[in-house]
Amino acid sequence: MTKKITLQIVLFFALAAPMVGWAQTITGKVIDSDKTPLEFVSVAVINAADSTLVSYTTTDKNGAFKLTQVTDGKRIFQINLVGFATYQKVLDVKGAPIEIGTVTLLEKSNTLDEIQITAVIPITIKKDTTAFNTKAFKVRVDDTVEDLLKKLPGVEVDADGKVKAQGEDVSKVYVDGKEFFSGDPTIALKNLSADAIKSIELIDEKSDKARVTGVNDSSRSKVINLKLKDDRKVNDFGKFQGGYGTDDRFLTSINYNRFSPTVQASVIARYNNINSSGSDISQIMSFGGGGGGGSYRISRGGGGGTSSGFVTTGVGGLNLGYELKPKQNLNADYFYNYSNSESGKVSTKKTEFVGNQTLYSETESNSVSTTNNHKANFSFIDRSSALRTINMRGRVNTSETEGSSVNSFVGFDGNKVKDLENNGVSTSNNNSTNGSLSVDYITRFSEKSTRNIEVELDMSFSKSNSTSANRNDKDYTDATRVDELVVSTQKQEETNNDFGLEVKYTEPIINDRNFIEVGVGADFKNNNEYTDQNQTLNGSNNLSSTFMADLFENRKTVSGNLDYKYNNDKLNLTFSARFQDVNQNFGLEGAPEFNKNYSSLNPSINLRYRPKQGSWFVARLNKSMNVPSLNQVSPVVNNYNPLFISTGNQNLTAEDSYSAFLMYGMYDFVSGFNIFSNFNYSYTNNAIVNTQNTDVSTRVRTSSYVNLGTRDNVSASLNMGKRMKSVGMRYNVSLGGSVSNYQSVINSVNNKTNTKNINFGLTLENNDKDNVDLSTGATFSKSFTTFSGTTSDRDYLQQTYFVKSDWNITKTFNFSTQFKYDIYTDSSFGTEQAVPIWNASLSYAFLKSKNLSLMLTALDMLNKNVGFDRSSSDNYFQETTKEVLGTYYMVSLTYTLNGNKGKSNQRGGRQIRSVRMH
């Protein structure tokens, strides 16, 4: 296997070498008419033949620039800055560096002698926005917006589809400034065609409050705005795909869009049995989209696992957006999701430490479930007035799930001698409905003053009812013990309602850089849980486990805050003091109630500093109070599963938590170097921790909660990358680590757990992705956990190596392949787990327009994929193995509807602009 990895890496560099080629540099300086150097000026070289981008940079603070990787040929040299006339010059690059000298940009004027020329302005930089003209980047007809983003300078897209732009996570995607499917980045990027986009804007978006009031705050987010081509605003476009493969695997996908200047309508539909919610077969190729492999966890009763089993998925979605008037938009979307999941055989081997004893067990299970889900969202955003904004959002979600499972449990004593066996069968049916409505109204009193008021209203509800039944046959090896047959039925109904209102008033003091904010708020929550449980033991009614319980909680929170805020163009600073008073009333109907009151003063400091464009620093210090949840204080004993019993602790009190967060980020437009680092520290006093008691003879585990000491966690990460222009490649390096300490109580013995993690990753990829997209890399994750109890300490290492390539062999042929090799080494398990996965696809585009393509895809060609989960906790470690799809091949046909009706809009077309020639 090592030879295969080496071969892939050698292949990567062999293919990358020809792309380096012989290239030249272009240097110079840009000033204005007053001879002042201009910073962040867009400087580009584009191909005269098809207007695609050859090289790009921006000027530094001295106005200087240096373009690299400029290949020989006829090129258009271009300098562009908003507010100035575009400078443009035709160059004939012939194997020698070019010194442009000093270029003086003139402010835009209608008196300039102008002629019509053909040109594309590839990149434009404004104060908070960087815009990319998509004509400067080569795309295939069937490329998605996600494919296009990977070609943009300063933009990274990982295997899971998460986007980073200029070092920051992208939180939302707009289409022509309007939300698309509630702004979900994944839906827009994976479903919209790259060929439909005119330009892509990377925006540092201010909060609505900062926009209206003129008072900058520390709340900024990186968003993407996709501007459609003019012909796509009056025509329909989309993509249709169908595929069939071995083992009766199939996939269908529909994406249809009809946009106009005021209306956006989109339909999405998918149906497949390949464990995918992705938009098409290309999403399955990505390892982040269900490629399999294993997982590792240090858990405290939490979940986990990997993509496994056999899932048939159906999705139907509709998005409607309407512009009532400029900057006033109404948006609604609806999704229907269907899922039929078969787990296949799931096997778990567990080693458990109870006191001085070691217990072993083996579990096998198989489950089937069917889910039907309906979800609707709407938003009304009114930013039409400079003095106010209204943001209203609502959602409703309904879900119905039916399921059944069979399981077997075999327990062994410390000598690995079988002492009991339990076989279980269960069925369940759950129906739930939930929804929410939020309204945020911000108004500024006048244009001359920054005095403002904000009113926030939040309401939510949920309702669920479920019925379930199970049967457990427990057989003891010890003949003196009585075997048990437990049959249980349970009906549960739960309702939750939440209403919150907060009002904030901001008053400028001294000048328009200093402010006082006063806020008051109230929140009311009501929870009700009704349980009707019946249980029989060996045919007789089990009185201790047959009951009806009506549990309730009423929680009232009153809060107030006093903030001092200072802000200027570079610095936002807030000192805040927030008072919180919580009344929690809970118990069982007809029984004595529990009434508790908690009060806390919570100070905080928030700072955001932006010394210049592309650089930022954030610091936050915060104190908070965490009130126990209803589940943690519930007096109901949940013994529906006779092997796992849980109850709450009515004597719990609130936790006090303290946190510190530091973040630094920098993106250099000139060199393409970016760095992003953060530091987190959290400390909790009077921590709520798990307690657990296991009866060795019956294997019955009882859990609850208790306040015990402290809990803390510290973590740090560093990510950096840079374009290495001299070799035509880019590297990305990630380094992170964490240390956590927490406590638990196991069979009345306090246990302290300390976990240390460190991870490192390196990725190399080529810069020019027009014809070949290559990347290779490796990640290493090391973890070491110590337990003060009898649990063995754990030393874990995961290594991942990968190579990915996407090659446009010709204008019609494309070949893509991905290889990943995971190695899991764990001191708690005697064997090392190695998982090599190799996927590949070959596609051919038909028709003159290349709108029809045929693709052959091969998944897990080595048939080595496995589903497994290794986890450990305070008193056990276990390994779970699961069935996976395995190797399959699929042939798919994709038709791209590009909306071109009459007017040609092919890649490389020219755009007429009026600029001054030099």
Side-chain angles (χ1 to χ4, degrees):
M1 188 56 62
T2 303
K3 292 182 179 179
K4 291 183 179 180
I5 298 172
T6 304
L7 180 61
Q8 291 277 351
I9 295 174
V10 170
L11 178 62
F12 170 84
F13 287 106
L15 290 173
M19 296 185 297
V20 176
W22 296 101
Q24 310 307 321
T25 61
I26 300 177
T27 55
K29 183 177 182 180
V30 182
I31 61 175
D32 63 13
S33 56
D34 295 326
K35 298 185 179 181
T36 302
L38 296 175
E39 188 178 8
F40 295 117
V41 178
S42 175
V43 184
V45 172
I46 57 180
N47 188 0
D50 60 7
S51 297
T52 54
L53 186 66
V54 175
S55 184
Y56 163 78
T57 189
T58 60
T59 57
D60 61 20
K61 63 181 179 180
N62 298 315
F65 65 85
K66 181 179 181 180
L67 288 160
T68 61
Q69 291 297 300
V70 182
T71 52
D72 290 353
K74 189 176 181 180
R75 305 288 182 247
I76 297 175
F77 173 76
Q78 187 183 92
I79 298 177
N80 179 59
L81 181 63
V82 174
F84 292 83
T86 298
Y87 176 93
Q88 194 156 274
K89 186 176 183 178
V90 177
L91 302 175
D92 193 6
V93 182
K94 292 183 177 179
I98 298 175
E99 171 59 44
I100 295 295
T102 300
V103 177
T104 302
L105 288 188
L106 303 177
E107 294 185 5
K108 282 187 176 179
S109 172
N110 294 328
T111 63
L112 292 175
D113 295 330
E114 297 177 338
I115 60 174
Q116 296 290 320
I117 66 167
T118 56
V120 169
I121 307 297
I123 302 173
T124 304
I125 299 176
K126 300 178 184 178
K127 184 177 181 181
D128 294 320
T129 303
T130 303
F132 298 89
N133 189 330
T134 60
K135 281 183 176 290
F137 303 90
K138 291 182 181 180
V139 294
R140 298 196 305 267
V141 172
D142 61 341
D143 279 349
T144 64
V145 173
E146 181 178 275
D147 297 318
L148 176 58
L149 286 178
K150 295 177 182 179
K151 303 176 186 291
L152 304 186
V155 179
E156 299 174 23
V157 184
D158 68 14
D160 296 315
K162 295 179 181 178
V163 182
K164 276 185 179 291
Q166 297 167 353
E168 297 183 79
D169 291 326
V170 172
S171 61
K172 188 171 290 189
V173 173
Y174 298 108
V175 178
D176 279 341
K178 307 176 185 68
E179 289 192 356
F180 183 77
F181 279 104
S182 302
D184 187 330
T186 304
I187 295 178
L189 301 184
K190 292 184 180 297
N191 288 279
L192 290 181
S193 172
D195 188 53
I197 308 303
K198 179 180 180 181
S199 67
I200 295 179
E201 296 178 333
L202 308 181
I203 304 172
D204 289 322
E205 187 177 53
K206 295 181 180 180
S207 66
D208 278 339
K209 189 168 186 177
R211 183 191 63 81
V212 171
T213 65
V215 181
N216 290 325
D217 52 28
S218 59
S219 177
R220 286 207 178 202
S221 56
K222 183 71 71 174
V223 302
I224 289 178
N225 182 38
L226 306 174
K227 300 188 73 172
L228 293 172
K229 293 177 179 177
D230 293 338
D231 64 330
R232 304 308 169 89
K233 298 179 181 180
V234 294
N235 290 324
D236 41 11
F237 62 95
K239 184 184 292 186
F240 308 89
Q241 184 181 63
Y244 187 78
T246 56
D247 299 327
D248 290 326
R249 300 296 166 201
F250 65 85
L251 173 142
T252 59
S253 176
I254 296 174
N255 171 24
Y256 174 79
N257 305 276
R258 179 79 181 186
F259 288 0
S260 76
T262 58
V263 178
Q264 295 182 348
S266 298
V267 176
I268 294 174
R270 298 188 289 272
Y271 186 56
N272 67 76
N273 65 353
I274 54 176
N275 292 17
S276 170
S277 59
S279 58
D280 57 38
I281 189 64
S282 64
Q283 305 302 323
I284 315 303
M285 285 284 294
S286 171
F287 296 121
S295 73
Y296 154 79
R297 291 181 290 127
I298 292 292
S299 63
R300 287 168 248 174
T306 62
S307 175
S308 58
F310 310 92
V311 183
T312 299
T313 302
V315 176
L318 172 66
N319 179 80
L320 291 173
Y322 182 67
E323 184 179 73
L324 303 173
K325 62 180 182 180
K327 297 185 178 182
Q328 188 183 83
N329 299 292
L330 179 65
N331 185 277
D333 62 73
Y334 164 79
F335 260 112
Y336 167 71
N337 289 271
Y338 163 83
S339 175
N340 179 267
S341 177
E342 300 180 13
S343 69
K345 182 180 177 181
V346 180
S347 302
T348 300
K349 294 183 178 181
K350 183 176 182 178
T351 301
E352 186 174 0
F353 305 93
V354 181
N356 294 321
Q357 299 189 59
T358 302
L359 304 177
Y360 305 93
S361 63
E362 296 179 359
T363 303
E364 287 190 2
S365 66
N366 195 311
S367 63
V368 178
S369 66
T370 301
T371 299
N372 289 276
N373 180 272
H374 302 265
K375 181 170 63 175
N377 302 279
F378 87 91
S379 65
F380 171 73
I381 302 175
D382 184 3
R383 296 173 177 169
S384 58
S385 170
L387 296 180
R388 68 168 173 82
T389 184
I390 300 173
N391 193 324
M392 181 183 299
R393 298 179 183 274
R395 65 169 180 83
V396 177
N397 182 64
T398 65
S399 180
E400 179 181 356
T401 301
E402 294 182 348
S404 62
S405 67
V406 295
N407 64 82
S408 65
F409 171 90
V410 181
F412 303 88
D413 61 20
N415 297 317
K416 296 188 177 182
V417 176
K418 177 181 173 181
D419 56 8
L420 68 87
E421 180 176 350
N422 186 88
N423 292 286
V425 179
S426 66
T427 61
S428 63
N429 181 283
N430 181 275
N431 294 276
S432 63
T433 302
N434 60 76
S436 66
L437 175 67
S438 65
V439 181
D440 188 11
Y441 175 79
I442 305 168
T443 185
R444 180 173 163 182
F445 285 77
S446 70
E447 293 184 359
K448 297 181 179 180
S449 173
T450 53
R451 183 181 295 116
N452 65 84
I453 190 170
E454 178 181 13
V455 181
E456 294 182 74
L457 172 67
D458 294 287
M459 296 181 290
S460 65
F461 76 93
S462 66
K463 182 179 180 180
S464 66
N465 61 79
S466 64
T467 58
S468 56
N470 68 35
R471 173 192 173 103
N472 285 276
D473 288 290
K474 184 186 292 185
D475 297 325
Y476 293 99
T477 303
D478 186 352
T480 63
R481 300 200 58 133
V482 179
D483 296 338
E484 299 175 3
L485 171 61
V486 180
V487 179
S488 305
T489 61
Q490 188 181 80
K491 178 180 179 181
Q492 288 188 311
E493 297 178 0
E494 183 176 355
T495 59
N496 297 277
N497 298 286
D498 191 355
F499 175 85
L501 179 66
E502 188 170 18
V503 180
K504 297 179 181 179
Y505 172 78
T506 304
E507 176 71 23
I509 57 173
I510 305 175
N511 53 41
D512 283 341
R513 293 186 175 180
N514 298 270
F515 305 88
I516 291 293
E517 181 178 276
V518 179
V520 293
D523 186 81
F524 304 91
K525 293 182 179 179
N526 171 261
N527 299 328
N528 286 279
E529 297 180 7
Y530 172 77
T531 302
D532 183 356
Q533 179 172 299
N534 290 277
Q535 191 175 97
T536 61
L537 174 61
N538 293 331
S540 300
N541 190 26
N542 188 358
L543 296 178
S544 64
S545 299
T546 298
F547 62 89
M548 288 186 294
D550 196 350
L551 180 66
F552 69 90
E553 179 192 34
N554 297 303
R555 185 182 298 192
K556 301 175 184 177
T557 303
V558 178
S559 61
N561 69 281
L562 177 64
D563 300 354
Y564 165 74
K565 296 184 176 184
Y566 172 83
N567 84 90
N568 57 34
D569 293 337
K570 296 182 178 180
L571 177 66
N572 309 122
L573 178 63
T574 301
F575 294 94
S576 178
R578 183 179 181 87
F579 175 76
Q580 187 179 19
D581 182 82
V582 181
N583 176 259
Q584 184 183 38
N585 176 256
F586 65 94
L588 293 169
E589 294 288 353
E593 299 179 358
F594 299 89
N595 198 304
K596 298 193 175 185
N597 236 81
Y598 306 97
S599 296
S600 179
L601 180 63
N602 303 319
S604 65
I605 301 174
N606 286 274
L607 179 147
R608 184 180 181 95
Y609 178 57
R610 298 177 66 91
K612 63 178 182 178
Q613 188 173 4
S615 178
W616 68 95
F617 173 76
V618 175
R620 291 196 291 265
L621 299 174
N622 186 63
K623 176 183 179 292
S624 62
M625 178 178 66
N626 305 317
V627 175
S629 67
L630 180 59
N631 179 61
Q632 291 173 330
V633 297
S634 171
V636 177
V637 177
N638 184 350
N639 58 0
Y640 176 68
N641 186 332
L643 291 179
F644 302 96
I645 301 173
S646 63
T647 186
N649 179 0
Q650 297 77 55
N651 295 317
L652 289 180
T653 58
E655 299 177 325
D656 287 321
S657 294
Y658 305 83
S659 64
F661 174 77
L662 301 174
M663 178 176 67
Y664 172 73
M666 187 272 288
Y667 179 79
D668 189 320
F669 292 86
V670 177
S671 65
F673 175 75
N674 68 85
I675 184 169
F676 180 82
S677 62
N678 67 62
F679 171 85
N680 282 278
Y681 175 73
S682 64
Y683 174 85
T684 300
N685 190 35
N686 199 38
I688 298 174
V689 303
N690 294 317
T691 67
Q692 183 176 293
N693 283 275
T694 300
D695 187 324
V696 176
S697 62
T698 63
R699 298 298 178 92
V700 174
R701 182 185 305 157
T702 303
S703 64
S704 187
Y705 305 91
V706 67
N707 291 104
L708 180 65
T710 63
R711 178 176 62 244
D712 65 85
N713 181 79
V714 59
S715 63
S717 67
L718 173 68
N719 295 272
M720 61 182 180
K722 189 179 187 299
R723 296 195 307 268
M724 297 181 291
K725 298 180 180 180
S726 59
V727 294
M729 300 180 67
R730 178 171 63 188
Y731 73 82
N732 289 279
V733 178
S734 63
L735 179 66
S738 66
V739 179
S740 65
N741 295 280
Y742 68 93
Q743 300 185 70
S744 59
V745 180
I746 306 297
N747 280 43
S748 302
V749 177
N750 289 8
N751 183 75
K752 296 181 179 181
T753 302
N754 173 269
T755 300
K756 301 179 180 70
N757 295 290
I758 186 168
N759 56 77
F760 171 79
L762 172 65
T763 301
L764 295 173
E765 57 184 297
N766 62 309
N767 284 328
D768 183 2
K769 299 180 182 293
D770 287 342
N771 295 313
V772 180
D773 184 354
L774 291 169
S775 64
T776 185
T779 60
F780 304 89
S781 178
K782 176 76 171 178
S783 180
F784 185 72
T785 304
T786 60
F787 305 92
S788 65
T790 56
T791 305
S792 301
D793 294 342
R794 188 178 187 192
D795 191 356
Y796 173 85
L797 173 65
Q798 178 179 344
Q799 307 169 64
T800 299
Y801 306 90
F802 70 89
V803 177
K804 295 189 285 187
S805 69
D806 189 86
W807 181 18
N808 294 325
I809 303 172
T810 68
K811 292 183 179 181
T812 56
F813 268 110
N814 173 268
F815 175 70
S816 178
T817 185
Q818 302 178 2
F819 178 78
K820 185 178 73 163
Y821 187 49
D822 289 313
I823 304 172
Y824 304 88
T825 307
D826 195 325
S827 63
S828 297
F829 303 90
T831 59
E832 181 179 85
Q833 188 72 260
V835 184
I837 304 177
W838 186 16
N839 301 331
S841 71
L842 180 67
S843 65
Y844 179 78
F846 296 90
L847 306 180
K848 183 178 180 180
S849 62
K850 311 295 189 299
N851 284 21
L852 184 66
S853 64
L854 181 70
M855 177 182 288
L856 172 63
T857 306
L859 280 299
D860 187 20
M861 290 189 292
L862 303 178
N863 199 27
K864 295 293 185 178
N865 192 12
V866 296
F868 74 96
D869 176 20
R870 287 177 170 176
S871 62
S872 65
S873 186
D874 312 28
N875 69 326
Y876 73 85
F877 62 83
Q878 67 179 25
E879 180 181 63
T880 300
T881 58
K882 311 169 186 180
E883 291 188 60
V884 296
L885 287 178
T887 301
Y888 68 92
Y889 301 87
M890 178 169 286
V891 177
S892 60
L893 194 64
T894 302
Y895 178 74
T896 301
L897 180 67
N898 63 16
N900 294 325
K901 296 183 178 180
K903 182 180 178 180
S904 176
N905 193 34
Q906 298 296 318
R907 178 189 60 78
R910 296 294 187 88
Q911 180 182 15
I912 303 298
R913 283 187 61 91
S914 179
V915 300
R916 187 178 182 181
M917 287 293 292
H918 297 262

